[in-house]
Amino acid sequence: MKHCEYQQIDPQALSTPTPTPTLPLQQAVVQEEKKGETARRKWEVFPGKNRFYCDGRIIVAQQSGVLPLTLGLILVTTVLFFVFDCPFLLKHLTVFIPAIGGVLFVFVVISLLQTSFTDPGILPRATPDEAADIEKQIDNSGSSTYRPPPRTKEVMINQQVVKLKYCFTCKMFRPPRTSHCSLCDNCVERFDHHCPWVGNCVGKRNYRFFYTFIVSLSFLTVFIFGCVATHLALRAQGGRGLMFALQESPASAVELVICFFSVWSILGLSGFHTYLVASNLTTNEDIKGSWSGKSGAEDTGNPYSYNNIITNCCSVLCGPMPPSLIDRRGFMPVEESSQTVATEIELAAKKEINVVGGPTPSQLPPCALQVPPSPIPLPATPNHLQPDLQTPV
Amino acid sequence: MAETHSLQDMRQQAAIAAKVFIQRDYTNGTVCQFQTKFPSELETRIDKQQFEETVRTLNNLYAEAEKLGGSSYLEGCLACLTAYTIFLCMETHYEKVLKKIAKFIQEQNDKIYAPRGLLLTDPIERGLRVVEVTIFEDRSLGR
């Protein structure tokens, strides 16, 4: 812990080893007590637009999008299935039907919650020292008095030229495949898209959860659809007709309608993402046509692909799980907490917005399943962190 | 009061002369590798070979963490079968290597860099973007 001591300091004695001074003022004592008792966790001062729960363990986007609707639809359909269709099918067919349904349902819900609550691969913003260092390097190559056009840096990746863009919000050159999500106000590694159905970005760390979610949801939807159709067909046997069957089991009609309208989009999405996984592409790159040669350049294959479907699939879905880079639950360094006294009101307000803020479900057309990020980075937002010039040794 | 603070800050700022940032090297794709080019600011402080050796060892450790091989696929498949719930209880291979890296950096700092007035910051604290080398003022020269 650093303390400030009140004594006459002889400027000529500055080269002597640093003493450990203490602040004797009352305010300072209270401040120090505060420092000891309520050291801030890093999620409380996180500059992006995310919200945190369970003391930083759970991270979601600012707006939960239509996640409640997604969960609701899945729960309602599956509960109706188990209550109204399973008893009949259990009696007339096999016990495996509810068993398989149960397993699929568990997979769907767990992978959905993991996609929504996991850090997608957010890159922490550059520290002021880093930003200054980068600015120095850029200014060396060309000066300007106004904000220059988007800065780019070219690197060679697997013998191919790739342009790295400078992010004005995060104050750094974005690594390859990283994109800035305007909804979450973060740079996300291997950015795929911001999914409103899931209420979070899909990026490097949670892509495998997202893929598991949509694949298992496809299976679940098709399974329920098939079982309900079988159920109604069995009831309608013997010339009694479909209307009779529907009258006996009206819930099945509800399930049929829900499944029928969602199966096409979900199957389509699963197919699309299977293609992306097999070619090691992201939705973002596919939409922009980064590697398909649309830009007119000759040698534009995907430099990240292993050119082998199996290797691509394995590396995307079964590769090592990268760690979260934002260290949500770590404690702020002590110098930060003394400097944040002035901005405590601001931070408290932000904390309330972060933790308590109610979601505003956006009304989205059913076909807008994916929201591509804005291609232009946002202008720099005020950084709540004070400059950290002293690194604790 | 303010003067004392600023004098103290001055003293602390006098201690840190400069910071050098070793950027990432993307020639092999998105794997975590750092440039081994020796920065000119460190020429007076440390041997080029020594520094390049440190960065090369770091790169090898990160490559080991991100290696695609039998064991990582096994971990991935097992995780998929359990709907990724094992990530909640088990420490992943990557995290184990990160601990190794933290120990390595601590060792390097204690043995090689601190005696020369330098400090390496673990890249994980900077979002795996840079290796930050803090150069401290040489106290013997005074200020």
Side-chain angles (χ1 to χ4, degrees):
Chain A
M1 288 251 292
K2 293 244 160 83
H3 307 265
C4 304
E5 190 177 79
Y6 277 95
Q7 61 182 20
Q8 277 290 3
I9 294 176
D10 184 0
Q12 284 163 354
L14 280 178
S15 57
T16 54
T18 317
T20 54
T22 49
L23 252 175
L25 284 184
Q26 263 187 354
Q27 274 181 355
V29 168
V30 168
Q31 197 178 315
E32 280 190 1
E33 275 176 41
K34 264 186 173 172
K35 274 190 225 170
E37 288 171 5
T38 56
R40 287 188 183 282
R41 290 202 190 256
K42 288 183 185 169
W43 65 264
E44 301 182 49
V45 297
F46 186 69
K49 286 187 196 166
N50 295 87
R51 289 181 292 150
F52 298 88
Y53 300 108
C54 290
D55 200 18
R57 289 182 181 88
I58 291 177
I59 177 172
V60 292
Q62 186 185 38
Q63 294 169 332
S64 58
V66 288
L67 173 63
L69 176 68
T70 313
L71 263 176
L73 275 175
I74 295 171
L75 276 172
V76 160
T77 314
T78 317
V79 164
L80 285 178
F81 172 70
F82 278 118
V83 169
F84 292 101
D85 297 273
C86 275
F88 183 90
L89 291 168
L90 192 62
K91 204 168 60 170
H92 288 86
L93 283 179
T94 166
V95 72
F96 284 118
I97 289 184
I100 294 174
V103 167
L104 282 174
F105 174 67
V106 162
F107 254 81
V108 166
V109 171
I110 290 183
S111 45
L112 170 62
L113 293 178
Q114 283 180 326
T115 314
S116 302
F117 298 152
T118 306
D119 167 18
I122 296 173
L123 269 180
R125 299 191 181 180
T127 56
D129 294 320
E130 274 179 70
D133 188 62
I134 295 176
E135 292 271 346
K136 215 168 51 179
Q137 287 174 16
I138 297 172
D139 281 340
N140 279 342
S141 43
S143 62
S144 56
T145 47
Y146 62 99
R147 182 172 136 173
R151 304 160 168 174
T152 55
K153 187 165 83 166
E154 292 193 349
V155 293
M156 285 292 282
I157 297 181
N158 290 329
Q159 284 92 48
Q160 205 169 309
V161 177
V162 174
K163 273 205 178 110
L164 301 185
K165 288 207 184 122
Y166 183 78
C167 182
F168 285 101
T169 313
C170 303
K171 297 206 171 36
M172 59 177 174
F173 279 101
R174 282 184 216 133
R177 310 193 98 173
T178 303
S179 197
H180 191 96
C181 176
S182 45
L183 288 162
C184 301
D185 204 22
N186 291 314
C187 269
V188 177
E189 285 194 294
R190 203 184 182 278
F191 183 82
D192 195 84
H193 66 283
H194 183 100
C195 185
W197 293 92
V198 151
N200 200 4
C201 289
V202 177
K204 183 160 91 165
R205 295 189 75 241
N206 65 351
Y207 187 74
R208 62 190 74 191
F209 304 145
F210 177 75
Y211 186 74
T212 310
F213 168 61
I214 54 174
V215 166
S216 49
L217 187 60
S218 321
F219 280 124
L220 182 68
T221 317
V222 167
F223 180 75
I224 290 183
F225 189 79
C227 288
V228 169
T230 312
H231 173 203
L232 290 175
L234 287 175
R235 276 199 194 262
Q237 261 177 356
R240 282 173 289 180
L242 185 60
M243 287 316 298
F244 172 78
L246 282 173
Q247 275 168 2
E248 287 221 312
S249 179
S252 305
V254 173
E255 294 166 50
L256 265 183
V257 165
I258 294 177
C259 288
F260 182 76
F261 285 111
S262 34
V263 77
W264 309 113
S265 35
I266 293 172
L267 270 180
L269 198 59
S270 302
F272 175 62
H273 277 279
T274 308
Y275 156 71
L276 289 181
V277 163
S279 36
N280 205 330
L281 279 173
T282 64
T283 307
N284 198 21
E285 287 165 355
D286 190 69
I287 287 179
K288 286 190 188 163
S290 314
W291 314 119
S292 62
K294 283 183 195 162
S295 54
E298 301 170 349
D299 196 23
T300 50
N302 180 5
Y304 313 108
S305 169
Y306 295 94
N307 294 319
N308 178 332
I309 290 181
I310 307 230
T311 318
N312 280 338
C313 290
C314 288
S315 77
V316 175
L317 301 174
C318 302
M321 182 69 181
S324 175
L325 298 175
I326 55 176
D327 190 24
R328 308 184 289 279
R329 288 176 46 77
F331 287 99
M332 294 292 294
V334 177
E335 299 92 356
E336 301 275 338
S337 42
S338 65
Q339 284 161 350
T340 54
V341 168
T343 53
E344 248 178 24
I345 297 168
E346 216 182 341
L347 281 169
K350 185 176 163 72
K351 197 165 143 187
E352 280 195 4
I353 293 167
N354 275 345
V355 175
V356 177
T360 53
S362 41
Q363 298 291 324
L364 289 164
C367 56
L369 287 168
Q370 299 179 354
V371 177
S374 114
I376 303 162
L378 290 176
T381 52
N383 197 341
H384 291 289
L385 291 174
Q386 297 294 320
D388 174 25
L389 293 170
Q390 295 99 24
T391 320
V393 179
Chain B
M1 191 195 306
E3 289 164 39
T4 314
H5 276 274
S6 65
L7 268 177
Q8 199 203 15
D9 288 347
M10 227 175 79
R11 207 185 312 150
Q12 285 167 344
Q13 277 179 0
I16 296 178
K19 285 191 183 182
V20 184
F21 297 95
I22 315 294
Q23 299 287 340
R24 283 272 295 270
D25 175 18
Y26 295 115
T27 46
N28 288 327
T30 50
V31 284
C32 184
Q33 300 281 283
F34 292 96
Q35 293 176 354
T36 47
K37 191 170 80 89
F38 187 60
S40 49
E41 293 93 331
L42 297 177
E43 262 164 24
T44 53
R45 297 292 194 118
I46 192 165
D47 185 32
K48 178 173 164 175
Q49 291 280 57
Q50 183 71 65
F51 180 78
E52 283 181 5
E53 184 57 41
T54 307
V55 180
R56 229 173 270 134
T57 315
L58 260 184
N59 284 344
N60 287 339
L61 284 168
Y62 281 114
E64 184 196 323
E66 297 186 16
K67 195 177 68 151
L68 297 171
S71 62
S72 75
Y73 289 154
L74 201 61
E75 191 186 50
C77 287
L78 187 65
C80 182
L81 288 174
T82 60
Y84 302 108
T85 46
I86 61 166
F87 286 146
L88 299 169
C89 2
M90 215 178 75
E91 194 184 49
T92 65
H93 173 65
Y94 208 119
E95 285 166 351
K96 290 191 187 122
V97 180
L98 282 179
K99 287 202 173 137
K100 238 187 357 185
I101 291 173
K103 219 173 67 167
F104 169 71
I105 290 189
Q106 181 74 37
E107 238 175 81
Q108 292 281 295
N109 274 334
D110 289 337
K111 287 197 212 144
I112 300 169
Y113 290 87
R116 291 174 170 78
L118 298 171
L119 178 74
L120 289 179
T121 306
D122 195 336
I124 195 76
E125 294 178 28
R126 298 287 178 263
L128 291 182
R129 288 187 308 263
V130 288
V131 177
E132 187 179 302
V133 185
T134 314
I135 304 174
F136 290 98
E137 275 262 320
D138 202 347
R139 295 283 186 152
S140 56
L141 299 176
R143 193 167 164 85

